[in-house]
Structures are given as C-alpha cells and as structure tokens.
Amino acid sequence: MKIERFEDILAWQEARKLVNMVYEVVKNNPIFQKDFRLCSQITGGAVSVMSNIAEGFSRKTRKEFINFLFIAKASAGEVQSLLYVCLDQYYISKEKFNELYNQADKTARLISGFISYLIDKSKTTQKTQSTQRTQGTQSTPYD
C-alpha cells in the first residue's frame, strides 16, 4: 500500500486509537479529572504521538520525518510511564492499565518498525545513487 497521506500510516492510526482510549479514561473518571496536571500531561503525551507522526510526514526530508518519528516514539514511552502514576493513584484499574499500556506499546513498535524501514530505504537510495554516479547513469523520478 502506498502512503499518500499521514492518515495512511498504520502507526498514526494506532496512535489515534491510543488518544481516544486515554480521553475515554479521563472522561469517565471525575476523580482523575480533578488531577489537572496529570490529565493534561497524559492526554498531551498521547496527542503528541499522533501529531508528531503527522507533522513529520509533512516535512520536506526523510531525515526530518525520522526525527519526528523518534519524538513520537518517546511520547508513547511518556504515556506508558504516566500510566503507572494513574495506576498508583487508583485512577485506573490494572485491567485498564494493561489495555492502555499495550496500545502505547503497539504504537511504539509500529513507529520503530517504520523508522527502521525509512532508514533502510535511505541506505538503499544512497547506494543506488552512488552506483549510478560511478557508472555515469542517472535515475529519473520514476525509477
């Protein structure tokens, strides 16, 4: 499948699920809602995963995109860490913790796989361009 929009990226789709899961937990717990700082941080972290994938996709270079994917992956880790705070403060059950933690982990793994794919693709592209320069051939945009 060709990726034409950030919405086509599986990691973004899973990050969106994570955002909705986090917001659902916050909306359904009035006691949790009173912890403004934690609510803001965990929702912001989840939104950051999704947003950094989209923002990176909109950048001009693959290198910039990869950097934004690393930030998105780090934000998924932040959400996982904050989930422990939620669990320790009894804002969420162990079952809900596992559900959210696993979704953040799934998203982070997809991001890691996508980063690896883009890095490998960059190496292949560089190798092809180097070979073409050595051989005196040039590629077209359609190669």
Side-chain angles (χ1 to χ4, degrees):
M1 177 176 133
K2 185 174 180 179
I3 296 174
E4 296 181 6
R5 306 173 334 153
F6 67 81
E7 294 94 333
D8 297 331
I9 300 169
L10 184 56
W12 182 88
Q13 295 168 11
E14 293 300 323
R16 184 177 179 199
K17 288 178 189 176
L18 177 63
V19 168
N20 288 321
M21 291 167 71
V22 168
Y23 271 92
E24 180 184 328
V25 165
V26 171
K27 281 193 259 184
N28 291 328
N29 188 331
I31 297 168
F32 187 4
Q33 292 171 11
K34 291 179 184 177
D35 192 336
F36 301 113
R37 176 77 174 121
L38 182 57
C39 282
S40 176
Q41 199 163 356
I42 197 164
T43 56
V47 169
S48 178
V49 178
M50 190 173 129
S51 297
N52 276 295
I53 295 168
E55 186 174 350
F57 181 79
S58 300
R59 293 297 175 134
K60 293 190 184 289
T61 68
R62 187 175 293 145
K63 183 179 178 182
E64 285 183 292
F65 187 17
I66 291 168
N67 286 335
F68 274 87
L69 290 173
F70 276 115
I71 295 167
K73 185 176 182 295
S75 292
E78 177 186 8
V79 170
Q80 289 174 308
S81 180
L82 292 167
L83 286 168
Y84 281 100
V85 177
C86 295
L87 181 65
D88 293 346
Q89 298 308 307
Y90 304 102
Y91 294 149
I92 59 174
S93 66
K94 183 68 173 169
E95 181 182 318
K96 189 55 74 172
F97 169 88
N98 288 332
E99 184 183 329
L100 290 163
Y101 190 95
N102 290 337
Q103 183 63 30
D105 188 59
K106 178 180 184 179
T107 303
R109 288 176 187 273
L110 286 168
I111 294 167
S112 289
F114 197 32
I115 290 167
S116 295
Y117 167 78
L118 291 172
I119 289 171
D120 288 345
K121 190 169 180 168
S122 290
K123 289 177 183 175
T124 303
T125 301
Q126 289 171 353
K127 190 182 284 186
T128 301
Q129 289 172 346
S130 176
T131 302
Q132 289 171 345
R133 279 192 296 272
T134 304
Q135 295 173 350
T137 61
Q138 230 177 2
S139 66
T140 68
Y142 306 104
D143 288 340

